[in-house]
Amino acid sequence: MIKITIVDRNGKRANLEIPTDINLSLMEILKAAEYDILATCGGIALCATCLVQVLKGTENLPQPGGQELDMLDTLPNADLNSRLSCQLRINKEMDGMIFQIAAEH
Amino acid sequence: MITTDICIVGAGPVGLFAVFEAGLLKMRCHLVDVLTQVGGQLSEIYPHKPIYDIPGYPEIKAQELVDKLMEQIKPFNPGFSLGARVETISREPDGSLVIRTNDHTEIHCQVLVIAGGLGCFEPRKPDIDRLIEFEGKGVAYMIKEPELFRNKEIVLAGGGDSALDWTIFLANSAAKVTLVHRGDTFRGAPHSVEKVFELAKAGKIDLILQSNVMGLNGEEHLQSVSIAARDNVLTTIPANHFIPLFGLSPKLGPIAEWGLMIDRSAIEVNTIDFSTNITRVYAIGDINTYPGKLKLILCGFHEAALMAQGAFKYVYPGKKLSFKYTTVYGAPAF
């Protein structure tokens, strides 16, 4: 199991345990866990409503691709730890990471 | 005051198709959308992406679907109020409704259909002190009347196509244009990026990279803008206008204040005709919710058909609704 911690918009923390063989993005996991996250475009890095802030473990994630960078660039308050959760595939390297759901922008 | 049978909030694919279903029953429609173009999410977010689940089309690009829908509804001559956001609805003594928008357009209708998708696209506002205070007094999020900016000193912020396109456009008529961007490369259309760098090189615009707008200064009106690079040293440049262009994101907006039953930003409807808890108000497409709801365009199309059948009694009270197939009767234009 891959264990990650999610901090919601109110600061509430919860641990999620995700099976290693699940082929989903972090956005899909967050939606399944009923977090208040929009994902307007359905997960193709075109709306940035699935934005998360990586609080721990940024170094474990692959660099954002071109499309994700395009979107992150347009956000006024994004920084190096901001990522689009629809572009983050769940994998073993995420174990122990902490993600915060970004404030609605 | 615009008078129509059905006022549709939202000109995305489902709002557009609703015009067709209403038209078959001889009901006229007027659509209102906050965007300045029709097509909703399809034209705003992913015009070039292929969609695979529209019945009859193994693959169709989003914008192409919008264009085909516009062609399909053309015979029914719908009216459009684009670039306008619906603010209030009020009830007339005879049960009909008056819809008012933020640019003071009034629409009198028998029925209101909310096809608002995931909400009203609103500009993303950066976290800058006094930004809200200067709205309308120097701060703008979209350019509706470019002539207002002639001979003015303008600062634009952003790194995408909007920021690039408006910088290029205003370079010709403004007294001074400064584009501020957090990064050092732009990710818009390559041709636009090239043009902006050319303009900067020729001294026609000022390009300030790796920087953010940190503050706005002025009394009754915006007078200058403070910018800082990574070193946090503030530089102040004079400006009459500041236009942050950080994209749009959808918000439920004024719809949330109308007394509708709302569950997680979606309007609860009954599945007989997709009417809401408010008489003569319907909700179709992604904006509604009911047991088993799927947020698919094709579901919105089906909801539009049933809604039209339900709305008929308000537009033609006392008249009998007889179900007619288009294969027998065609789709007679208005």
Side-chain angles (χ1 to χ4, degrees):
Chain A
M1 290 294 229
I2 301 164
K3 298 194 181 100
I4 61 174
T5 306
I6 305 295
V7 183
D8 72 10
R9 291 208 175 100
N10 300 318
K12 190 156 149 240
R13 287 190 175 222
N15 293 326
L16 289 184
E17 277 195 11
I18 310 163
T20 40
D21 58 355
I22 220 167
N23 186 19
L24 292 176
S25 66
L26 177 60
M27 177 272 283
E28 288 164 320
I29 296 290
L30 291 174
K31 275 188 107 54
E34 306 212 339
Y35 279 99
D36 190 13
I37 193 162
L38 259 191
T40 309
C41 73
I44 45 178
L46 284 176
C47 71
T49 55
C50 70
L51 190 71
V52 292
Q53 220 31 45
V54 181
L55 299 183
K56 181 167 174 234
T58 310
E59 64 280 3
N60 300 331
L61 294 173
Q63 287 298 306
Q67 181 63 46
E68 189 183 347
L69 276 173
D70 276 8
M71 278 316 296
L72 291 171
D73 255 2
T74 65
L75 300 174
N77 304 314
D79 62 27
L80 292 171
N81 290 316
S82 307
R83 295 299 301 266
L84 299 186
S85 58
C86 69
Q87 300 300 301
L88 302 174
R89 287 278 124 193
I90 301 287
N91 60 36
K92 290 196 304 293
E93 277 68 40
M94 279 193 182
D95 197 44
M97 285 185 69
I98 306 178
F99 299 93
Q100 178 168 40
I101 300 181
E104 264 183 295
H105 42 264
Chain B
M1 165 107 69
I2 295 168
T3 304
T4 191
D5 293 328
I6 302 180
C7 178
I8 302 174
V9 175
V14 172
L16 292 175
F17 188 66
V19 174
F20 181 79
E21 289 297 324
L24 290 181
L25 301 180
K26 307 233 176 310
M27 299 188 289
R28 292 175 185 277
C29 298
H30 188 91
L31 299 93
V32 186
D33 200 303
V34 72
L35 295 173
T36 49
Q37 82 277 355
V38 300
Q41 290 174 55
L42 273 61
S43 58
E44 185 58 33
I45 299 183
Y46 53 89
H48 308 299
K49 287 279 174 176
I51 307 175
Y52 302 99
D53 62 353
I54 302 297
Y57 291 96
E59 184 183 320
I60 182 168
K61 294 212 169 48
Q63 184 61 47
E64 214 189 308
L65 178 60
V66 172
D67 296 340
K68 284 200 183 299
L69 286 164
M70 286 295 281
E71 196 190 313
Q72 192 169 26
I73 66 178
K74 200 162 172 224
F76 301 117
N77 207 16
F80 291 92
S81 293
L82 298 177
R85 187 174 78 167
V86 174
E87 298 284 324
T88 61
I89 56 172
S90 58
R91 178 87 63 195
E92 295 290 288
D94 66 354
S96 61
L97 301 160
V98 173
I99 279 64
R100 287 178 184 85
T101 69
N102 64 343
D103 64 359
H104 311 296
T105 304
E106 287 190 331
I107 301 152
H108 177 252
C109 59
Q110 299 302 323
V111 161
L112 174 67
V113 174
I114 304 172
L118 282 161
C120 175
F121 279 101
E122 310 240 312
R124 284 201 186 91
K125 300 187 184 182
D127 203 1
I128 303 172
D129 227 14
R130 303 182 75 188
L131 183 71
I132 312 290
E133 190 192 318
F134 283 117
E135 280 174 11
K137 300 182 200 162
V139 167
Y141 303 102
M142 53 171 85
I143 299 178
K144 277 203 201 168
E145 286 164 81
E147 271 309 298
L148 286 176
F149 298 93
R150 185 172 284 281
N151 294 327
K152 298 278 166 44
E153 293 172 312
I154 307 167
V155 172
L156 296 106
D161 277 313
S162 252
L164 293 169
D165 290 345
W166 282 116
T167 298
I168 295 167
F169 183 91
L170 292 170
N172 287 329
S173 58
K176 179 144 176 262
V177 172
T178 306
L179 175 59
V180 181
H181 175 41
R182 186 175 63 232
D184 51 15
T185 51
F186 290 94
R187 296 184 182 277
H191 170 74
S192 308
V193 178
E194 215 182 290
K195 181 87 184 151
V196 162
F197 277 113
E198 264 171 47
L199 286 169
K201 206 158 162 213
K204 295 238 166 80
I205 63 164
D206 275 350
L207 194 50
I208 306 183
L209 300 175
Q210 301 214 353
S211 303
N212 282 310
V213 171
M214 305 299 281
L216 304 170
N217 318 299
E219 314 228 331
E220 291 304 309
H221 196 279
L222 183 68
Q223 285 169 296
S224 66
V225 164
S226 302
I227 298 166
R230 300 244 169 92
D231 52 12
N232 284 330
V233 172
L234 283 181
T235 316
T236 304
I237 61 172
N240 314 110
H241 295 278
F242 172 52
I243 310 173
L245 292 159
F246 293 106
L248 305 172
S249 76
K251 296 235 159 25
L252 197 53
I255 289 175
E257 317 294 320
W258 296 345
L260 293 157
M261 302 282 293
I262 294 182
D263 175 27
R264 276 199 248 201
S265 299
I267 304 170
E268 290 177 15
V269 292
N270 88 63
T271 52
I272 293 177
D273 57 6
F274 302 95
S275 52
T276 67
N277 58 307
I278 299 180
T279 314
R280 299 184 181 224
V281 177
Y282 298 79
I284 56 176
D286 281 2
I287 197 123
N288 74 15
T289 184
Y290 52 88
K293 166 74 183 179
L294 285 180
K295 287 188 179 177
L296 296 176
I297 297 173
L298 71 94
C299 294
F301 286 166
H302 148 253
E303 292 162 11
L306 269 66
M307 171 281 294
Q309 300 281 314
F312 185 85
K313 59 182 173 288
Y314 296 116
V315 178
Y316 295 111
K319 211 165 158 197
K320 190 152 188 265
L321 175 60
S322 48
F323 185 78
K324 290 177 162 149
Y325 283 114
T326 54
T327 38
V328 176
Y329 293 91
F334 282 167

